[in-house]
Amino acid sequence: MKNRNRGKVSPEWIVILCIFSFALGTFLSNRIWVVPESEDQIMPIGRRPEILAANSGDCATEKDKEELIGEFSKAHEAIESLDSSIAKLRMELPSTKNSRKIGKFENFSTILHPGSNETRKKTFMVIGINTAFSSRKRRDSVRETWMPQGKSLLQLEEEKGIVVRFMIGHSATSNSILDRAIDSEDSQHKDFLRLEHIEGYHELSAKTKAFFSTAVEKWDAEFYVKVDDDVHVNLGTLAATLARYRSKPRIYIGCMKSGPVLHQKNVKYHEPEYWKFGEEGNKYFRHASGQIYAISKDLAKYISINQPILHKFANEDVSLGAWFIGLEVEHIDDRNMCCGTPPQCEWKAQAGNVCVASFDWTCSGICKSVERMKDVHAKCGEDAATLWNALI
């Protein structure tokens, strides 16, 4: 009996052993070891998140912090440098952005002009005929000869991509009788391009900038042409001439000249800033005569973007030449753009060399153009089919 009692365990010890076993099991379940993916150390599952959090803080040593700050500074400097480069590019000649080539103009597409909510129609060339409030008779003489009217004008735009408009600004007085007269004329013919410009004889350079800026905003053309309203133009021959240069990015074409810089006061074409061109008696740099000239898309864009800082000289054609003199621009001297009136342009036409434009140098246009425009057109004008058959 005594030996049996010695082999038994008392209930109190059983309870104690159970409690101890439960505690030991709980303790060991939280101490199961695993091997982390990136460390050669063991880590208990139950404590892994806390240890990872602790390690992430420990890794950020002072050296690492300095390296992070250095990398951030480099990135910030790179961003500032990029912003600076973009700002400079905006002041330079535009790149090939939005300068898609057009082969034929049967179907036109429109693109969104940067910074504008308006779409621009793709065209081959935009011709701005410089005119004044007092030149109604000159405009009518042009309409009756070389400039298509009504449905023909619209057809010329749709089928050939040739836009022709009289360009004019506004009078110094808002809604004056002069402005109302132009509005009435435009409602009849629908052939005006109104400019944000105050008309004035000594403001021709500013008007030229306004024309190119307005035309670029409204039309996406390959060429932009300025012509005076007392000059005769053969549109088909002009289109064919410009088409030969469409593969070149920066073309400035016209009758290049280099006249004297007139320092004497009270004379026509007096240049108040004559001293900028050297000693008295010097000549201007080469530039196209102001009666008619054409520039390619990139140059028109250049004027539009930089117009606030483009200097204006007394003479409009000199101003335009000055804006291009320091750029990579190809100057094309085409004497067919400054033929004389009959008999000169007549002889050339009979020889099969039709002139682009005709005028009299002595008058800086056709002398008495209102009376003589029809005669010049009859003797020097191209065949009617030339315009509509022009390959552009």
Side-chain angles (χ1 to χ4, degrees):
M1 290 293 294
K2 290 182 180 178
N3 291 335
R4 289 181 181 177
N5 291 335
R6 287 179 183 174
K8 290 183 179 179
V9 180
S10 65
E12 291 82 4
W13 281 106
I14 293 174
V15 174
I16 293 171
L17 287 172
C18 289
I19 293 173
F20 177 79
S21 299
F22 176 80
L24 181 62
T26 303
F27 177 76
L28 291 176
S29 66
N30 290 329
R31 300 292 290 180
I32 296 175
W33 303 99
V34 295
V35 179
E37 295 178 359
S38 60
E39 300 282 351
D40 292 330
Q41 61 181 1
I42 55 176
M43 183 181 298
I45 290 180
R47 298 180 60 196
R48 191 178 185 189
E50 293 82 352
I51 294 175
L52 286 174
N55 285 344
S56 65
D58 294 339
C59 289
T61 62
E62 291 299 324
K63 183 178 179 179
D64 292 335
K65 289 179 180 177
E66 291 176 359
E67 290 178 355
L68 288 172
I69 293 172
E71 291 297 324
F72 179 79
S73 298
K74 290 179 182 178
H76 183 66
E77 290 173 0
I79 292 171
E80 287 184 337
S81 176
L82 181 61
D83 289 341
S84 177
S85 298
I86 292 172
K88 288 180 181 179
L89 285 172
R90 287 175 177 171
M91 297 298 292
E92 297 175 357
L93 282 175
S95 62
T96 56
K97 181 181 180 182
N98 294 330
S99 60
R100 288 168 259 170
K101 294 292 181 182
I102 306 173
K104 295 183 179 180
F105 289 85
E106 286 81 3
N107 296 306
F108 292 110
S109 60
T110 57
I111 65 171
L112 188 63
H113 184 56
S116 171
N117 292 324
E118 297 181 358
T119 56
R120 298 189 302 157
K121 192 168 188 179
K122 275 190 168 295
T123 60
F124 175 67
M125 67 176 173
V126 175
I127 302 171
I129 306 173
N130 184 33
T131 191
F133 289 117
S134 59
S135 299
R136 173 64 189 263
K137 290 183 178 180
R138 282 189 179 183
R139 291 191 291 275
D140 285 340
S141 70
V142 170
R143 291 181 179 117
E144 292 167 0
T145 53
W146 61 266
M147 179 181 177
Q149 285 296 292
K151 292 182 180 179
S152 295
L153 188 65
L154 293 176
Q155 185 181 2
L156 187 64
E157 294 180 26
E158 296 297 326
E159 295 185 9
K160 307 302 292 184
I162 298 175
V163 177
V164 188
R165 295 286 189 277
F166 289 105
M167 58 164 169
I168 194 168
H170 299 270
S171 65
T173 304
S174 178
N175 197 34
S176 69
I177 187 173
L178 298 175
D179 291 309
R180 292 198 299 272
I182 293 296
D183 291 339
S184 175
E185 188 178 346
D186 188 30
S187 65
Q188 178 184 356
H189 296 281
K190 295 180 172 45
D191 56 6
F192 277 92
L193 175 63
R194 299 303 296 270
L195 309 176
E196 291 299 324
H197 167 76
I198 303 300
E199 286 290 322
Y201 179 77
H202 297 292
E203 296 297 327
L204 291 179
S205 294
K207 186 175 183 179
T208 298
K209 288 200 288 187
F211 163 63
F212 286 120
S213 298
T214 304
V216 164
E217 184 177 355
K218 192 173 180 65
W219 293 282
D220 179 35
E222 294 192 44
F223 296 95
Y224 297 83
V225 183
K226 178 260 177 180
V227 60
D228 289 338
D229 62 3
D230 56 354
V231 173
H232 180 271
V233 179
N234 285 315
L235 293 176
T237 306
L238 172 61
T241 299
L242 295 181
R244 296 200 297 266
Y245 302 103
R246 70 190 315 166
S247 63
K248 307 215 172 181
R250 292 175 295 279
I251 291 297
Y252 173 33
I253 181 170
C255 288
M256 299 294 164
K257 65 175 185 176
S258 179
V261 181
L262 302 178
H263 64 278
Q264 302 90 343
K265 294 182 178 179
N266 301 320
V267 298
K268 193 175 183 181
Y269 307 127
H270 164 63
E271 179 57 73
E273 296 181 272
Y274 63 90
W275 60 274
K276 289 185 177 180
F277 298 91
E279 303 298 327
E280 292 183 7
N282 275 359
K283 291 185 176 182
Y284 288 114
F285 41 76
R286 288 282 172 183
H287 61 278
S289 178
Q291 286 85 355
I292 181 173
Y293 52 74
I295 62 176
S296 55
K297 176 192 296 188
D298 281 0
L299 296 183
K301 280 182 170 182
Y302 175 81
I303 293 174
S304 177
I305 293 170
N306 297 289
Q307 60 168 321
I309 59 173
L310 294 178
H311 186 69
K312 297 175 292 184
F313 289 101
N315 300 299
E316 171 257 342
D317 52 359
V318 172
S319 295
L320 186 77
W323 300 338
F324 300 151
I325 198 67
L327 305 178
E328 288 294 337
V329 174
E330 185 172 353
H331 290 57
I332 306 295
D333 183 19
D334 190 331
R335 308 316 290 184
N336 270 344
M337 295 183 74
C338 54
C339 295
T341 54
Q344 183 187 8
C345 61
E346 186 177 14
W347 294 338
K348 289 187 121 183
Q350 291 173 354
N353 187 21
V354 177
C355 292
V356 173
S358 302
F359 58 88
D360 301 306
W361 284 106
T362 54
C363 298
S364 297
I366 296 176
C367 298
K368 298 181 179 180
S369 65
V370 173
E371 293 82 8
R372 296 181 58 221
M373 186 67 77
K374 286 185 178 180
D375 180 62
V376 174
H377 183 65
K379 294 178 179 179
C380 302
E382 63 192 2
D383 185 88
T386 301
L387 173 59
W388 300 103
N389 295 332
L391 298 176
I392 54 178

